[in-house]
Amino acid sequence: MDEAVARVRHSGVRVQALRQLQDYEGLSGPLHQYKVNIAKGLLNLCRAVGAPLLLVTASTVAEAGEDAEHVARDLAKLATLAVPKGIDIAYQAQPGSRVAADVVSAEACVNAADRANLGMAIDTGHLFTGDGGLDALDRCYADRLFLVGLSDTIAMRAGDAASPAAGERTQDYVRVFPGDGSSAEALLELIRRLRVIGFHGGFCLNAANADHAQLPAAFVAEQARDSLHWLLARLRHIDLPRRRTPRPSLPKD
């Protein structure tokens, strides 16, 4: 691990976020303490590689309780652990989670925890396939949004899920890079709306799939580069408002 961290630090690559802490909140007893220890280890890894953000996905395990105060307390605890290390926490909804299955539920958890370094992440793969689409985004506040994972999607026929190569697939769509699927125009509209509401967070490409895992890294990186070029070319034709400049603080009496 030390060698891997050293390679990252000396590569010149800036790590935007570390993915990801799973099934953390809503647990009790030894399982809760185990996840707290895992969280501490990931926060240390964030610090080691220079990542300012840790992504946390909503619990999907059966042991996770739905009590809102319990969930808020766990998220607040994680955010507090991250403060001395200068790390922000981005909480993301997860389909099938009893805690936060959609963007609106995730925002409610974040608001209840009420920590300055705790915000949200959204995943466009989920957003466009069952999480309310762009209308759900309009119900969120930009200051609570830290990270947006961009992926396009291609719908899979029901029969495809039974094929041997897709035996473990639980989704009815496959993630692809922006511009390669059926949500291309929605992605562009999403970015436009984010700028309108004053989003100042980060973007990342989140198009991992089983096919990419089997391909040479250089080939997948080339696909990602082409996708970024496509995004930049299309966004030049969208009239995006300038970022708002912060208002000067008022003098104290």
Side-chain angles (χ1 to χ4, degrees), residues 164-182:
E168 296 182 358
R169 185 187 296 124
T170 58
Q171 300 169 324
D172 56 0
Y173 64 92
V174 61
R175 291 176 181 272
V176 293
F177 287 113
D180 293 339
S182 56

Side-chain angles (χ1 to χ4, degrees), residues 108-173:
C109 294
V110 168
N111 288 339
D114 193 22
R115 293 294 185 274
N117 66 326
L118 174 65
M120 293 172 55
I122 62 173
D123 177 352
T124 62
H126 296 158
L127 192 70
F128 295 138
T129 57
D131 195 10
L134 293 172
D135 290 341
L137 180 67
D138 289 341
R139 298 196 295 273
C140 297
Y141 294 96
D143 61 340
R144 287 291 192 182
L145 191 52
F146 288 177
L147 183 69
V148 177
L150 299 175
S151 65
D152 212 330
T153 57
I154 299 176
M156 305 293 289
R157 294 177 300 174
D160 291 342
S163 64
E168 296 182 358
R169 185 187 296 124
T170 58
Q171 300 169 324
D172 56 0
Y173 64 92

